[in-house]
Amino acid sequence: MADSNGVPFDYGDGCVEPGEKAHFRYEVGETYLGDSVAVPVTVINGEQKGPRLFLTAAVHGDELNGVKVIQKVATQYDPAELRGTLVCVHVVNVPGYKAQTRYVPIYDLDLNRSFPGLANGNTASRMAKQIYDRFIEPCDLGIDFHTSTRNRTTMYHVRADLKDPTVDRLAEAFGANVVLYGEGATGSIRTTATNDGVPTITVEMGRAQQFQPHLIERAVRGVANVLSEFDLLPEREPTHPSWYVTGDSETAKRWLRADVGGLVEMQWGPYPLVHEGDPICTITDHFELEQRTVPAPFTGLLVGFRENPVALPGHPLCHIVEIDRETHDVITREIESGEFDGYRVHDQDFRRDT
Ligand SMILES: [Zn+2]
């Protein structure tokens, strides 16, 4: 082993030296009772210097798949094998996580619209400021893990502002089959960090309030791919997906919404590949006197869909991304060979674990 040329990671209350791995809790606020609100953090600081990558999960407190991804990543790597630093914030929204709510409880504040935060702002904004200054802004790259909101699910995909070349490289390295282009929302971790010179992607995976093992394994491999692409793990060869879809303009992806209220029944499946004109779902009134069929506007993949079976006009039904002929053919072959089974979502046997 060459002599260490790593750089200490200073987080205010302490410092993780090169060659060290530290698990700790970092205080970001207080409860009514005066107890500390502290985020669990792992810093793995490589003996050799290199980029700093942050991982964050549960900024929406009930989105749990990423929490498990970070637990695995934090256990898996040692400082001796890393060039650079892995900064893992296991749970960003601690009050929401404790209450199993998306937002910061009581005030219903979206922590993921509160970055970079304010020292003298509201509760969410103060927590955001502590986390941002200590663990996000000092990094060079980032990955923020999410799931769908409750009563919906989402295909495993990445969201990224692909006009930034490093974000583009990061999104591709992570190796998800589907990457959706978007600048993201003001105040989100991804948008704030990216605009601040810390290229960041969001990973959307499955359902809230669950651990979904095959998605978690895939994301752990995605993190390994990013580590090798950016030379934090120089020994490892990255893997690449067999097909790749980028929703890179507004016309190529669309949320289909209900025009009428009623009872929704999904008609597609079991694979989320639909052809132009295929019925995606029907909406009926309670007397079944009227039935409205919602067709696929183009050939594409359903990357998100409604699980709650009743809808009002304007409610989202599904999120569809257009695919080209070549991608369509690769996916069709994978369906025939069984390789696409991990994406079988609208099917009772697979519902629990997709
Ligand atoms: Zn989320």
Side-chain angles (χ1 to χ4, degrees):
M1 173 61 65
D3 288 344
S4 170
N5 67 356
V7 182
F9 185 86
D10 187 341
Y11 58 92
D13 285 358
C15 183
V16 184
E17 297 295 335
E20 272 183 15
K21 176 172 181 169
H23 301 294
F24 56 92
R25 286 164 205 272
Y26 184 83
E27 185 173 319
V28 295
E30 246 179 41
T31 69
Y32 293 143
L33 296 169
D35 297 328
S36 159
V37 174
V39 292
V41 180
T42 300
V43 175
I44 310 170
N45 201 359
E47 285 179 3
Q48 306 303 318
K49 81 172 175 210
R52 288 174 167 177
L53 170 70
F54 79 78
L55 307 178
T56 45
V59 65
H60 292 136
D62 60 352
E63 299 182 2
L64 305 182
N65 277 324
V67 173
K68 192 70 189 169
V69 173
I70 292 185
Q71 185 198 45
K72 283 178 177 275
V73 169
T75 316
Q76 187 173 340
Y77 297 106
D78 286 316
E81 61 187 328
L82 279 189
R83 285 173 185 272
T85 312
L86 248 179
V87 178
C88 305
V89 183
H90 296 247
V91 174
V92 175
N93 177 0
V94 168
Y97 182 71
K98 281 183 170 170
Q100 282 302 289
T101 56
R102 176 179 175 83
Y103 298 131
V104 179
I106 305 171
Y107 307 103
D108 240 14
L109 297 166
D110 189 346
L111 190 52
N112 206 32
R113 297 291 180 274
S114 306
F115 288 89
L118 282 170
N120 54 1
N122 64 30
T123 313
S125 180
R126 288 173 191 228
M127 286 196 292
K129 167 103 179 129
Q130 294 281 334
I131 294 164
Y132 193 79
D133 287 358
R134 296 304 186 198
F135 304 109
I136 294 177
E137 196 273 334
C139 290
D140 301 301
L141 301 161
I143 305 175
D144 184 31
F145 291 97
H146 288 253
T147 71
S148 194
T149 53
R150 282 188 219 187
N151 294 322
R152 287 191 224 163
T153 189
T154 183
M155 191 175 194
Y156 180 87
H157 72 273
V158 162
R159 294 187 183 191
D161 185 355
L162 299 173
K163 69 179 185 305
D164 179 314
T166 310
V167 171
D168 191 21
R169 189 174 155 212
L170 184 59
E172 198 175 336
F174 190 78
N177 295 108
V178 178
V179 176
L180 300 184
Y181 166 84
E183 289 178 356
T186 304
S188 66
I189 290 179
R190 165 163 80 89
T191 303
T192 309
T194 300
N195 291 344
D196 228 1
V198 186
T200 298
I201 59 171
T202 297
V203 178
E204 293 282 349
M205 45 194 293
R207 293 181 172 80
Q209 290 194 298
Q210 292 190 17
F211 287 151
Q212 295 173 278
H214 82 270
L215 298 182
I216 291 163
E217 286 308 322
R218 202 180 295 180
V220 169
R221 284 199 301 278
V223 172
N225 278 340
V226 167
L227 294 176
S228 48
E229 169 67 22
F230 287 89
D231 280 339
L232 282 98
L233 267 188
E235 305 294 314
R236 187 184 174 280
E237 277 295 310
T239 57
H240 299 287
S242 53
W243 56 274
Y244 181 67
V245 174
T246 314
D248 56 2
S249 75
E250 280 308 313
T251 53
K253 59 175 180 179
R254 199 184 300 174
W255 267 103
L256 299 184
R257 290 176 184 276
D259 288 331
V260 293
L263 313 184
V264 179
E265 224 173 304
M266 291 295 167
Q267 303 295 335
W268 60 275
Y271 301 100
L273 173 67
V274 292
H275 298 91
E276 185 178 342
D278 282 356
I280 290 180
C281 67
T282 54
I283 305 175
T284 51
D285 65 299
H286 287 80
F287 313 114
E288 268 200 308
L289 296 173
E290 282 191 47
Q291 173 169 302
R292 186 78 69 96
T293 301
V294 179
F298 42 73
T299 295
L301 282 175
L302 297 179
V303 296
F305 63 90
R306 181 177 194 79
E307 291 194 314
N308 187 329
V310 287
L312 296 177
H315 273 168
L317 298 168
C318 68
H319 193 188
I320 179 170
V321 180
E322 195 167 14
I323 56 172
D324 60 22
R325 187 80 232 165
E326 195 185 330
T327 307
H328 170 272
D329 293 348
V330 176
I331 292 172
T332 305
R333 280 199 298 278
E334 288 197 0
I335 287 173
E336 283 163 7
S337 68
E339 282 173 75
F340 205 72
D341 280 356
Y343 286 120
R344 282 172 60 133
V345 274
H346 177 50
D347 183 85
Q348 291 301 331
D349 293 337
F350 285 80
R351 276 193 103 87
R352 283 185 59 78
D353 187 24
T354 48

